Amino acid sequence: MGAGMGAFLGLLVVAVLLVVVLSDREPRLTGSNSDVRLSGRSLEVVAGAQRCQRDVLPAGTGAVRVFLGLRGDSGGPVRVTLERADGTTARTGIPRRTEPGTVEVAVEPTVAEENAEARICFTNRGEDTIEFAGDRTPFLGGGANATSALLDDDIRVDFLRPAEETWWSLAPRVAERFGVAKTSFSGPWLFWVVLGVVLLVAIATVMLLSRTLRSR
Amino acid sequence: MSGRLEGSWAALRRVPAAAWVCAAIAVANAACWATVTPPYWVPDEIAHFGYVQHLAETGEPPTPGPYQPSEEQAALAAGLGFAVEGRPPWRAAEGRALRRMVDGREIGRVDEGQAYAAASYPPLYYAYEALAYRVFHGASVDDRLYAMRLASALLAGLTVLFTFLFLRELIPRRPWAGTVGALAVAFQPLLGFLAGGVNNDGLILACAAALLFALARAFQRGLNLGLGAFIGAVLAIGLLTKPTILGLVPGTALALLLLVWRAPGERRPAALGTAAAALVTIVPFLAWQGIERALLDRESGPTGGVASSTVTQSAGQLTDLLSYLWQALLPRLPFMFDQFPYYAPWEIYFKGFIGRFGWFEFGFPEAWNVVGLAIFAVIVVLAALGARAHAPALRDRWPELLVYVALAGGVLLATEIAAYQYHLVAPGQYAEQTRYLLPLLGLYGAFIALAALGAGPRHGRAVGAFLVMLAMGHSIFSLLLTVARFYT
């Protein structure tokens, strides 16, 4: 087997994996209020009570995701309202649950415009206290929170696009986000430049290998 | 003087073109990392930036003490909404708010506590970065940080350049294998990630690669005054950068002893080289220590920890230390007290090498790590075949191989002893990180080259090319993982 064949097979493996991974359909975020991967704090909402918080409601949101814990055998249902500053409201609900965990519920209609001063309320319409994961306190005792400090959390809310999407369709949105907070001159173009450099590096590597591995 | 300059120029011209291309690939790769990773989301980057800022603004290194960022450091952190596990701003409005916080107004750039955990490090890396800072002194704080990251990316090129030259000395009859090993190092994601941030590990990695090259050259061609001085200079640069380099000192000392012992005939050049190495190592370091104490009223490494400046010297029981060291690197034996809540070689070192990024809080899914382990197992088998095929040559070079084992052992021991000291003062916390083993990247390159050779004369080049493509894919997926973490 020649060196060219080895490089070709390697490239083929990488290219096939890239296509598979980038074509994977998953729920994608429009935004999130979370600063943590695993929350170190839970916020309870007792039966019949309501908990509200201010959040940015990103454009394009068609679903929300929260992380729910139960005190008893079951919890909920929970009514979720998203009130925009102009007074219009979108509603959704979390049905009664017997298992804790991640909950994704659709929001209708899809949020057309970003609202920086939205008010999100969770009303526990069930008979047991329920808990929601917080958005700021990292997992207690973990690397990001070695001192187990408790912060002033809101309920963690991940805002999702209405349908599952591939990376291909999300790429323009990623480019926009990529350019927001890097340098004074960055913009979406920077993302495409990085992809271009990665491609050039790959070409240079293949050329170098083909020259070096052919010579004695 | 001009003769020496001409000599240096001639030496540079003798460096093969392939070495420069490998180095350029490493720089481009690290520059991609510098651009993809949001500001401050590299371990301790805020503190390292603070050190550079203090040095560049005042001409003096900061004094260790409680964390107190400069106004500008704090403004950037606030504008980014920086939290270790958080994300940078996505919305244009947040970007505009960030610009209002950091652009076009005079805000404080100096505070004595701005370098926090980095303050006790020696100043050489920061002096290098201060050049980039000063060149862009009038630019915004995030632009200066980006310039510093790109300056750091150049060090990845230096690391790979020296790795290439090390492998050429190690495997002189098969230069293609050196290219394969150097490219594997150039695409190692942790190298790109670290060198793409402001972090003094970048210069340490370049020093370690240069040291490996110099030692291999000395074993191939004999130690002389020039090479000894080069070894000393590399160690001195390392000592003036971060005490991590201390892990390489015992192996280097062993190398010098062996080089003098086995010098053919006249031992004077080798002895002179050893003396030069010792002098050039110690004199600049002692001079800096004197300046610090006499003029700056501060103390820096290597009195601090090898791995992290937050590590302080602390005594533990010897048996406890030995048990800790064993469990950090090998499976726990039944009679040992359980020191780790996980199997450290897998959880920390292997998974870390496959890739943990940001403040080391995200990495590949478990299945990818398992696939990585399977590939690694195949590479180990190939490398073993390579070692068997070249057994006579390896036997002849046993002193050199012994030195590489000593260098690796020194780095491992130094890292683990520092981690143990940290563990004593912070029970339940573990300071081990894969990056502390990256001074051994040159040996990793040799391992990959040996695996390619292990496929035999017929298939070796093809396997080498295949491994490089896999390494490149590994790098691309690591970048995508980082894009996914911060922007999706």
Side-chain angles (χ1 to χ4, degrees):
Chain A
M1 187 167 62
M5 183 55 80
F8 173 75
L9 284 178
L11 263 183
L12 191 66
V13 169
V14 173
V16 168
L17 266 177
L18 270 176
V19 170
V20 169
V21 169
L22 297 180
S23 303
D24 186 31
R25 287 188 173 277
E26 270 192 26
R28 307 289 180 186
L29 292 175
T30 55
S32 171
N33 65 356
S34 179
D35 281 345
V36 297
R37 291 168 66 76
L38 275 178
S39 177
R41 191 163 180 207
S42 60
L43 305 167
E44 64 175 32
V45 182
V46 299
Q50 186 182 59
R51 184 183 176 102
C52 296
Q53 62 193 46
R54 291 278 172 199
D55 264 318
V56 175
L57 189 54
T61 299
V64 292
R65 177 166 59 201
V66 293
F67 301 84
L68 198 68
L70 305 178
R71 285 281 177 85
D73 294 334
S74 66
V78 179
R79 188 178 66 199
V80 184
T81 56
L82 303 109
E83 301 169 20
R84 301 181 186 91
D86 64 5
T88 57
T89 303
R91 287 177 206 280
T92 185
I94 301 169
R96 181 173 170 276
R97 289 178 61 93
T98 54
E99 293 283 335
T102 307
V103 183
E104 286 176 15
V105 288
V107 172
E108 288 183 358
T110 297
V111 178
E113 280 182 24
E114 176 185 297
N115 197 295
E117 286 291 316
R119 186 164 176 262
I120 303 178
C121 295
F122 299 84
T123 309
N124 183 357
R125 304 175 77 182
E127 293 172 357
D128 290 302
T129 299
I130 52 171
E131 295 173 338
F132 291 93
D135 67 339
R136 292 188 63 201
T137 303
F139 186 71
L140 305 184
N145 193 5
T147 58
S148 298
L150 291 175
L151 303 176
D152 185 18
D153 287 38
D154 280 331
I155 291 171
R156 172 177 177 170
V157 186
D158 292 345
F159 303 96
L160 302 167
R161 297 173 67 78
E164 294 184 340
E165 285 178 275
T166 66
W167 277 60
W168 304 111
S169 58
L170 195 69
R173 201 90 43 202
V174 170
E176 280 171 23
R177 296 167 184 173
F178 191 87
V180 167
K182 285 214 155 29
T183 61
S184 65
F185 55 85
S186 59
W189 57 270
L190 195 55
F191 179 70
W192 306 112
V193 167
V194 169
L195 289 191
V197 172
V198 169
L199 189 64
L200 283 177
V201 163
I203 292 168
T205 305
V206 170
M207 286 174 66
L208 176 64
L209 281 177
S210 67
R211 284 188 63 169
T212 309
L213 298 183
R214 254 191 237 137
S215 61
R216 282 281 128 197
Chain B
M1 192 65 174
S2 67
R4 269 187 200 165
L5 275 177
E6 279 170 19
S8 303
W9 179 240
L12 275 179
R13 279 191 305 184
R14 280 198 298 274
V15 173
W20 295 113
V21 177
C22 288
I25 285 170
V27 172
N29 202 34
C32 287
W33 278 100
T35 312
V36 166
T37 312
Y40 284 173
W41 264 278
V42 174
D44 304 324
E45 192 175 44
I46 302 176
H48 293 299
F49 174 81
Y51 195 128
V52 178
Q53 187 167 46
H54 193 283
L55 188 63
E57 295 289 345
T58 68
E60 288 184 10
T63 309
Y67 181 51
Q68 182 59 48
S70 69
E71 272 186 78
E72 202 177 50
Q73 262 177 301
L76 181 57
L80 290 167
F82 177 75
V84 167
E85 296 186 343
R87 294 181 182 83
W90 287 0
R91 299 160 48 235
E94 292 172 299
R96 287 192 293 274
L98 169 65
R99 296 261 59 85
R100 282 195 297 276
M101 292 171 90
V102 300
D103 282 350
R105 65 193 182 99
E106 285 297 317
I107 46 178
R109 292 187 175 192
V110 178
D111 198 295
E112 209 46 55
Q114 69 190 107
Y116 186 44
S120 63
Y121 286 131
L124 195 58
Y125 169 78
Y126 304 105
Y128 166 71
E129 286 287 17
L131 296 175
Y133 183 101
R134 290 299 307 185
V135 168
F136 293 93
H137 192 255
S140 65
V141 58
D142 44 356
D143 289 356
R144 267 174 278 140
L145 179 62
Y146 188 59
M148 288 156 65
R149 282 184 167 192
L150 293 181
S152 205
L154 293 176
L155 297 174
L158 210 53
T159 303
V160 169
L161 183 73
F162 279 119
T163 298
F164 183 102
L165 297 174
F166 161 61
L167 294 174
R168 277 286 169 103
E169 296 292 339
L170 198 66
I171 318 166
R173 291 187 186 166
R174 292 182 179 70
W176 62 266
T179 306
V180 165
L183 284 173
V185 170
F187 285 121
Q188 214 299 321
L190 211 50
L191 171 67
F193 166 63
L194 281 174
V198 180
N199 189 307
N200 54 357
D201 282 331
L203 185 52
I204 285 295
L205 302 188
C207 286
L211 184 65
L212 281 170
F213 156 66
L215 292 177
R217 193 175 177 86
F219 275 105
Q220 278 291 307
R221 308 173 190 213
L223 181 62
N224 57 32
L225 188 64
L227 212 44
F230 182 83
I231 290 168
V234 167
L235 284 177
I237 291 170
L239 281 174
L240 293 176
T241 300
K242 189 177 180 183
T244 306
I245 202 77
L246 285 174
L248 295 169
V249 169
T252 307
L254 175 67
L256 296 173
L257 283 175
L258 288 169
L259 284 163
V260 173
W261 168 66
R262 56 168 282 205
E266 175 66 65
R267 284 189 181 158
R268 201 158 158 265
L272 276 175
T274 300
L279 268 179
V280 177
T281 302
I282 291 167
V283 170
F285 178 68
L286 289 181
W288 165 244
Q289 294 269 307
I291 290 169
E292 261 196 318
R293 284 178 189 161
L295 302 177
L296 301 173
D297 194 26
R298 75 189 286 281
E299 271 185 53
S300 64
T303 50
V306 169
S308 163
S309 65
T310 53
V311 175
T312 52
Q313 305 298 318
S314 179
Q317 287 187 345
L318 183 62
T319 50
D320 194 47
L321 168 66
L322 292 175
S323 165
Y324 185 94
L325 293 179
W326 182 280
Q327 290 179 56
L329 305 171
L330 296 163
R332 182 172 69 90
L333 298 177
F335 59 85
M336 288 177 170
F337 170 70
D338 204 349
Q339 298 269 15
F340 287 88
Y342 40 69
Y343 182 46
W346 166 251
E347 287 296 332
I348 296 171
Y349 292 125
F350 190 80
K351 286 187 183 177
F353 199 72
I354 296 294
R356 293 197 71 77
F357 308 106
W359 283 58
F360 298 118
E361 41 76 36
F362 71 96
F364 284 97
E366 192 71 354
W368 289 64
N369 289 317
V370 173
V371 170
L373 183 64
I375 294 171
F376 182 73
V378 173
I379 294 173
V380 167
V381 170
L382 284 171
L385 290 174
R388 197 176 70 171
H390 297 88
L394 291 176
R395 257 196 302 275
D396 289 345
R397 294 172 72 175
W398 70 264
E400 188 181 352
L401 296 182
L402 183 66
V403 164
Y404 299 139
V405 171
L407 289 170
V411 169
L412 276 169
L413 269 181
T415 301
E416 286 304 335
I417 289 171
Y420 174 71
Q421 289 170 343
Y422 177 79
H423 183 66
L424 281 182
V425 294
Q429 299 292 314
Y430 299 89
E432 283 90 353
Q433 290 176 23
T434 312
R435 65 178 163 135
Y436 300 137
L437 305 190
L438 288 195
L440 305 174
L441 268 178
L443 298 182
Y444 166 68
F447 172 65
I448 296 296
L450 190 61
L453 290 172
R458 257 186 91 183
H459 302 301
R461 292 166 191 241
V463 168
F466 184 77
L467 290 177
V468 169
M469 289 297 114
L470 284 193
M472 189 177 77
H474 183 194
S475 170
I476 291 171
F477 278 105
S478 301
L479 282 165
L480 284 176
L481 184 75
T482 306
V483 168
R485 160 69 179 80
F486 290 112
Y487 311 105
T488 69

